[in-house]
Amino acid sequence: MHEMSIMQSLFKILVEKAKAAKAQRIRSVTLRIGRLSGIEADLLSTAFQVVSKETMAEGAELKVVTSPFQIKCKQCNALFKSSDRLLFECPECGSKDVQVEPDDDLMVENMEVEIASSDL
Amino acid sequence: MQVPIYENILKSNDYLAEENQDLFNRERVFVVGILGSPGAGKTTLLEKTISALKNVNLRPAVLVGDLATSRDAERIQQHGIPCAQLTTGGACHLEAQQVNKALKDFDLKTIDILFIENVGNLVCPTGFKLGEHIRTVVFSIPEGDEKVEKYPATFQKADCIILNKIDYLTLQSFDVEKPKREAYALNPDLVWINCSCATGEGIEEWINYLKTAREKRLNENG
């Protein structure tokens, strides 16, 4: 399960940023995961719970933002979206000559942290 | 308080992959990542490739990733070329740092093309760059014609797709145009090769592709 490896990389970034912000606790983390990143959002949440145990992120909420697949028909130029499965056929004209947007983002966008009142 | 981050989660792996590639460029080694499902024929393809590259005076080497065994490496070593084994201990993909460590087993000055055979898996290795110049994904007729549709992320990142065991077309129904069309929808710049390691179909096309891609890369690096 490579989601665990990805979580460990994420945690390195979170801890570094949290220290820089003098945070005591991480309350939530927002990721942006592209549909073609090869990552399962559900598995990420499980891995997050495991990796965050006994860290400043324990109990934090993991928010995963995903976008639908975006596909362009090369015949009729229609742009269409699909949130569950990837469509290789234009719903407008039926052509199979389509182009899929390469949405492979694997980003940590931001986090919500608590800072000790003495550091404010 | 909200802390903005906007960073690639795999940035540390990407950074190490870039370091690997800088090293390959300095040593003028062209590096090909090989991905594919278990049983797609990755090692057999490499065996055929090794013989064919020797015939055109290019010196190949192979770094093999495997979950637990050294069977693939033993097969490659019989061809008398530099070969190292990376046993991942059950991990489902290779990472740039492991490749970097394994490179100490090679004298890069004696290598023209290094193949990095990843763990047999069409999901996990996708997001992990290793420093390779091109990535080839191998799948085969017996696996069925829905592989591209099911694993679009992996096929989208392929520079070259090899549809292996094309000689099995006589044994089962398989619409070759379907995965090919889907792969081009994901990446219009890819190269698609129908191949059979049993009959030799497509091997010459594959070798020519490797030679051209290598020369192009060497010219870019001066």
Side-chain angles (χ1 to χ4, degrees):
Chain A
M1 178 167 119
H2 62 306
E3 280 79 6
M4 202 56 112
S5 173
I6 284 163
M7 266 305 138
Q8 282 159 352
S9 302
L10 170 68
F11 261 73
K12 270 189 206 160
I13 298 172
L14 294 182
V15 168
E16 179 193 314
K17 297 284 175 186
K19 278 183 182 164
K22 295 185 177 170
Q24 278 194 321
R25 206 171 83 82
I26 297 172
R27 278 157 64 175
S28 71
V29 178
T30 305
L31 309 182
R32 158 123 183 83
I33 305 294
R35 295 297 295 265
L36 289 173
S37 66
I39 303 299
E40 278 298 323
D42 291 349
L43 293 176
L44 271 187
S45 301
T46 310
F48 183 79
Q49 283 171 21
V50 173
V51 177
S52 64
K53 270 215 170 103
E54 293 171 18
T55 71
M56 65 166 76
E58 183 162 5
E61 183 190 0
L62 183 71
K63 300 174 187 169
V64 181
V65 181
T66 55
S67 307
F69 290 113
Q70 294 198 60
I71 304 128
K72 184 184 178 188
C73 176
K74 286 160 88 174
Q75 288 301 316
C76 74
N77 286 325
L79 284 167
F80 53 101
K81 293 181 178 184
S82 159
S83 25
D84 42 330
R85 65 187 281 266
L86 182 49
L87 295 175
F88 288 102
E89 190 174 315
C90 176
E92 297 288 329
C93 74
S95 168
K96 291 178 175 174
D97 188 11
V98 297
Q99 183 65 54
V100 181
E101 277 299 308
D103 177 20
D104 61 353
D105 277 354
L106 202 51
M107 300 283 291
V108 47
E109 293 203 326
N110 59 61
M111 63 181 171
E112 192 73 36
V113 298
E114 283 173 18
I115 292 173
S117 50
S118 58
D119 287 323
L120 284 175
Chain B
M1 184 180 91
Q2 198 181 71
V3 179
I5 303 177
Y6 296 105
E7 282 188 10
N8 174 3
I9 298 173
L10 287 180
K11 68 170 186 172
S12 56
N13 185 74
D14 284 3
Y15 176 76
L16 291 170
E18 268 175 41
E19 282 199 335
N20 287 348
Q21 196 172 91
D22 288 346
L23 175 64
F24 298 140
N25 291 342
R26 281 199 302 278
E27 300 289 352
R28 299 180 73 73
V29 180
F30 182 62
V31 181
V32 183
I34 306 278
L35 256 69
S37 30
K42 296 184 294 300
T43 310
T44 307
L45 175 70
L46 281 177
E47 290 185 278
K48 292 281 172 194
T49 308
I50 290 161
S51 309
L53 285 175
K54 283 179 174 173
N55 290 338
V56 293
N57 292 320
L58 286 172
R59 299 166 300 173
V62 179
L63 175 59
V64 183
D66 197 289
L67 290 169
T69 75
S70 58
R71 287 183 60 93
D72 292 350
E74 285 159 17
R75 281 171 61 189
I76 300 285
Q77 272 156 358
Q78 288 177 354
H79 295 267
I81 62 156
C83 176
Q85 163 85 35
L86 243 175
T87 308
T88 61
C92 50
H93 63 275
L94 295 179
E95 296 193 13
Q97 188 184 19
Q98 293 169 303
V99 169
N100 185 279
K101 279 186 186 161
L103 289 178
K104 68 178 184 331
D105 295 331
F106 292 99
D107 178 3
L108 293 177
K109 290 192 167 39
T110 66
I111 298 169
D112 295 313
I113 300 192
L114 171 66
F115 296 91
I116 305 178
E117 182 185 341
N118 219 308
V119 178
N121 186 321
L122 279 179
V123 182
C124 307
T126 302
F128 295 88
K129 294 175 187 166
L130 304 175
E132 69 270 59
H133 295 105
I134 57 167
R135 190 181 270 195
T136 295
V137 176
V138 185
F139 79 116
S140 64
I141 300 288
E143 296 166 52
D145 56 19
E146 293 173 339
K147 277 285 173 293
V148 175
E149 188 185 357
K150 285 183 177 170
Y151 303 97
T154 294
F155 287 96
Q156 191 260 320
K157 286 192 160 53
D159 299 293
C160 174
I161 294 177
I162 291 196
L163 175 54
N164 200 16
K165 308 185 192 179
I166 198 79
D167 49 311
Y168 281 54
L169 266 183
T170 53
L171 302 174
Q172 69 181 91
S173 73
F174 185 109
D175 178 3
V176 175
E177 289 309 308
K178 174 182 152 42
K180 189 173 179 177
R181 194 174 53 235
E182 291 165 351
Y184 278 102
L186 288 160
N187 175 10
D189 298 324
L190 78 88
V191 171
W192 179 283
I193 300 174
N194 291 336
C195 175
S196 164
C197 293
T199 67
E201 181 182 341
I203 297 292
E204 192 181 344
E205 193 182 350
W206 162 238
I207 298 298
N208 286 337
Y209 165 72
L210 289 174
K211 279 166 64 183
T212 309
R214 175 177 172 270
E215 278 156 23
K216 184 169 172 248
R217 177 57 67 152
L218 289 181
N219 288 338
E220 279 171 10
N221 295 332

